Amino acid sequence: WDRNKHVIKKFEPPKHWKRFMSMDWGSAKPFSIGWWCIVPDEYDHGKDTQAENLHGERVILPRGAIVRYREWYGNKKDQRNPNTGLKLTAEEVAFGINSREKNEPKNEFGRPRISYRVLDPSAFRVDGGPSFAERMGKKPYYVHFRKADNARVSKKGAMGGWDTVRQRLKGDLEHRSMMYFMDNCTDAIRTLPMLQHDEINIEDVDTEGEDHAPDEIRYACMSRPFAPSNLNLP
């Protein structure tokens, strides 16, 4: 993690950029929702938008990079313990999502043009009634999710979630990041660098900490795996 490399000033993403959402469910603990866009072509300076780092220097966003342009972190801001959730219902969360997407570009049906949404698989569990995911997808909210890939570490050669996060942070062969955070995404910027290795399984993270935004970032990365190509191997 390098704040100077991975954090950029907030700007309005071009309307034609593909957008998606990732979410980690929480009630007593915070939930975390991130809105992302995908850079379709190498992008540095448009007529109406410009990507800049925190020092005001122009940043060239590489093709295929993902940019976190908005977030909603469901914790109680006025408490000393930021790891306390809002205890909202699924319907209240869905309403909050709808409210935050009012200015999103619209599709032909007048709905926000969010290509897909991935959600913590635990939110799909059915315990005597509709799951949280099903309740958010009902009328009048229509916030539909698919199950996120929750693979945390590598198994049998398959890339794990934390691997994908590290790879995007590390970037391409030119050492350009493949994941950026606009500076309004304060809780992701605050909590991702705080992650600690688990004492028993060092490939995983300690889940006792505030890992909600990082988990959700992991879901986003697993929905769009990245690995640099054309490596000059011996």
Side-chain angles (χ1 to χ4, degrees), residues 10-225:
K10 180 183 177 182
F11 71 92
E12 185 62 32
K15 292 184 178 181
H16 68 279
W17 285 13
K18 185 173 183 176
R19 303 175 186 219
F20 69 99
M21 175 202 281
S22 54
M23 178 176 179
D24 186 59
W25 179 261
S27 180
K29 296 291 187 180
F31 61 80
S32 181
I33 303 173
W35 284 264
W36 305 80
C37 55
I38 305 165
V39 182
D41 294 294
E42 189 170 277
Y43 175 82
D44 57 354
H45 190 175
K47 293 181 179 179
D48 302 315
T49 55
Q50 180 173 345
E52 297 180 341
N53 65 18
L54 297 179
H55 302 291
E57 300 165 334
R58 188 171 65 184
V59 176
I60 297 178
L61 304 179
R63 179 179 182 179
I66 60 175
V67 181
R68 185 184 184 92
Y69 64 94
R70 186 192 306 125
E71 70 178 13
W72 181 18
Y73 193 69
N75 73 337
K76 293 189 176 181
K77 310 295 184 183
D78 59 345
Q79 292 199 355
R80 291 185 179 181
N81 181 10
N83 204 17
T84 303
L86 298 177
K87 297 185 179 180
L88 298 183
T89 66
E91 290 77 13
E92 289 171 324
V93 173
F95 178 82
I97 291 172
N98 286 168
S99 299
R100 287 162 174 79
E101 292 182 350
K102 284 184 177 180
N103 295 324
E104 287 283 349
K106 301 298 191 293
N107 61 22
E108 62 271 26
F109 304 107
R111 302 290 301 164
R113 188 163 49 78
I114 305 296
S115 297
Y116 65 89
R117 308 172 194 266
V118 290
L119 173 61
D120 174 7
S122 68
F124 291 82
R125 285 201 296 261
V126 178
D127 297 315
S131 68
F132 294 117
E134 183 179 349
R135 289 161 60 189
M136 287 190 284
K138 288 185 175 180
K139 184 180 178 180
Y141 312 110
Y142 303 114
V143 181
H144 299 287
F145 290 92
R146 69 190 193 201
K147 289 183 180 180
D149 187 337
N150 197 26
R152 302 175 66 88
V153 297
S154 301
K155 291 183 179 180
K156 298 181 179 179
M159 184 176 286
W162 298 122
D163 290 331
T164 65
V165 173
R166 282 190 292 264
Q167 191 62 69
R168 279 199 173 271
L169 290 173
K170 184 177 180 181
D172 62 13
L173 298 179
E174 299 177 36
H175 306 291
R176 297 179 300 179
S177 174
M178 293 300 292
M179 178 162 58
Y180 297 86
F181 300 79
M182 292 194 187
D183 57 5
N184 57 309
C185 299
T186 55
D187 286 292
I189 294 169
R190 175 178 63 86
T191 58
L192 184 59
M194 290 170 53
L195 289 178
Q196 300 292 320
H197 287 284
D198 183 81
E199 292 183 359
I200 298 175
N201 183 359
I202 61 172
E203 294 299 320
D204 205 349
V205 303
D206 183 355
T207 58
E208 295 300 317
E210 205 176 342
D211 62 347
H212 320 292
D215 276 343
E216 169 249 300
I217 293 166
R218 174 165 55 86
Y219 301 149
C221 291
M222 285 296 279
S223 78
R224 305 196 69 81

